[in-house]
Amino acid sequence: QPPAAGKAARAAERAEAKAAAEKQERLREETRRRAERELKDIAAAAEKRARDAAKAAKAAKRREARDLKLAKVREKEEHAAILEERKAWERAEARTRSEREKAEKKEEEDRRRAEKAAAFAEERERKAERAKAVLSSVPEKRETAESPDA
């Protein structure tokens, strides 16, 4: 082989080796970039999951607070309704008691009036009987000297 041919062959080998090394470096760089992109995507997805979880937790906490508040309001309303119902019952009982007492008082007054009327009627009857008895026991007046008036 002539020396120039060997030199050219070595130069070609070097060029080939250099091209292979550059190709390998490009592949390594591409792999590294792809790995970085995947890691970035994985990190972004993890951050998104963390944000979503935090948002969900916050929403659950708000819901829980709202439900607690609503339960307290409902409990307060129920208590107020119970008190109102109790007051209504008490008013109704008081009204009934008052009406019953009025009726009893009226009955008592009516009974007393009836007793007084009966007593008055008896007294009048007794007086009438006495008057009759007195009249029947007194002899009829005669216009004679025997009369005590003369």
Side-chain angles (χ1 to χ4, degrees), residues 21-141:
E22 283 174 0
K23 186 179 179 182
Q24 199 151 13
E25 185 58 34
R26 251 193 337 271
L27 283 173
R28 248 196 308 273
E29 189 60 30
E30 241 178 74
T31 305
R32 188 183 59 73
R33 273 196 301 261
R34 200 177 312 120
E36 281 177 359
R37 250 193 330 270
E38 283 177 10
L39 282 174
K40 208 185 274 183
D41 290 350
I42 289 169
E47 284 177 18
K48 187 180 183 326
R49 279 195 304 275
R51 279 194 308 273
D52 290 350
K55 211 181 278 184
K58 198 173 180 182
K61 195 173 181 181
R62 272 198 308 270
R63 252 192 323 275
E64 191 177 316
R66 189 191 67 226
D67 291 349
L68 187 64
K69 198 173 184 181
L70 286 174
K72 280 183 181 177
V73 166
R74 197 168 31 255
E75 193 175 312
K76 230 179 195 178
E77 288 172 348
E78 287 172 358
H79 183 67
I82 289 169
L83 287 179
E84 187 56 40
E85 192 174 339
R86 186 180 298 155
K87 283 180 187 174
W89 272 105
E90 288 170 358
R91 283 193 300 269
E93 285 176 350
R95 197 169 36 250
T96 304
R97 187 172 40 254
S98 168
E99 288 170 1
R100 187 179 59 242
E101 287 170 357
K102 276 184 198 169
E104 287 171 357
K105 193 174 179 183
K106 190 175 181 336
E107 282 176 17
E108 182 64 24
E109 281 180 26
D110 289 350
R111 188 184 58 75
R112 259 185 287 170
R113 272 201 204 103
E115 285 175 0
K116 277 184 182 178
F120 182 73
E122 283 177 22
E123 186 63 29
R124 215 173 49 217
E125 210 170 292
R126 273 199 302 275
K127 282 182 180 176
E129 289 293 323
R130 263 192 310 233
K132 243 193 241 176
V134 167
L135 282 176
S136 65
S137 69
V138 172
E140 288 187 33
K141 285 189 176 178

